[in-house]
Amino acid sequence: MMNLSDREVRQKFLQCNYSVLSSCFWHFRQVQGDGMLVIIVDEYDGAISLDYETDLAQLFSERTLKNKITPKLESYNYNQELLVGFQLKQERQANVDNCILHSIGSSNFPVKLAAEVANTLFKQLYSESTLCAA
């Protein structure tokens, strides 16, 4: 089980899964608009799920939104940087930070390119799995 409450582990998780997460982010952003990927971690059994949130007031306190999240959202380039929230508890509490914000990206490997790489990989895997099933 990964200890995603550890900052270094979260950063390594993002680096290892950058293309897949970028693909998910790109898809959701096209469909739902501005928002953030949220990785939900069950601290008891280690299960990980993925969500996309456009209402960030449910994830962050008003103070954190005002001082940290909103300035970051206004300054980052969604084509080159991926913003991800890690939610370490299943329950959400009002007026409390329920997420930890992380960003990852590179001008050498922008989010859109990473999404295209992942989509190509998924298509190849799907076509191979349908060939094997036939």
Side-chain angles (χ1 to χ4, degrees), residues 114-126:
E116 290 171 4
V117 168
N119 285 334
T120 301
L121 175 64
F122 293 146
K123 286 177 186 174
Q124 288 175 332
L125 289 173
Y126 178 76

Side-chain angles (χ1 to χ4, degrees), residues 3-15:
N3 180 11
L4 288 175
S5 60
D6 181 322
R7 179 175 172 65
E8 288 183 37
V9 173
R10 288 191 306 270
Q11 201 66 30
K12 184 60 84 176
F13 177 86
L14 292 176
Q15 290 169 351

Side-chain angles (χ1 to χ4, degrees), residues 11 18 22 80-83 103-111:
Q11 201 66 30
Y18 179 69
S22 293
Q80 295 189 358
E81 187 177 9
L82 181 63
L83 292 179
S103 64
I104 186 170
S106 165
S107 59
N108 296 326
F109 194 33
V111 170

Side-chain angles (χ1 to χ4, degrees), residues 9 11 13 19 30-31 59 63 71 75 84-85 87 121 123:
V9 173
Q11 201 66 30
F13 177 86
S19 289
Q30 301 302 313
V31 173
L59 300 175
R63 180 176 176 220
S75 67
V84 177
Q87 184 179 357
L121 175 64
K123 286 177 186 174

Side-chain angles (χ1 to χ4, degrees), residues 1 13 30 37 43 52-53 63 73 85-86 110 119:
M1 179 167 76
F13 177 86
Q30 301 302 313
L37 280 180
E43 293 177 293
Y52 187 79
E53 289 287 342
R63 180 176 176 220
L73 288 171
F86 283 90
N119 285 334

Side-chain angles (χ1 to χ4, degrees), residues 29-42:
R29 190 173 196 292
Q30 301 302 313
V31 173
Q32 297 181 25
D34 289 341
M36 179 187 310
L37 280 180
V38 179
I39 298 168
I40 304 163
V41 182
D42 187 320

Side-chain angles (χ1 to χ4, degrees), residues 64-111:
T64 300
L65 272 173
K66 179 183 172 191
N67 296 333
K68 184 176 180 182
I69 307 303
T70 302
K72 182 67 174 173
L73 288 171
E74 291 172 350
S75 67
Y76 95 111
N77 180 344
Y78 67 86
N79 288 305
Q80 295 189 358
E81 187 177 9
L82 181 63
L83 292 179
V84 177
F86 283 90
Q87 184 179 357
L88 299 175
K89 296 182 179 179
Q90 291 291 357
E91 70 278 351
R92 293 183 178 175
Q93 301 172 1
N95 300 317
V96 175
D97 288 338
N98 293 302
C99 262
I100 301 167
L101 180 69
H102 272 271
S103 64
I104 186 170
S106 165
S107 59
N108 296 326
F109 194 33
V111 170

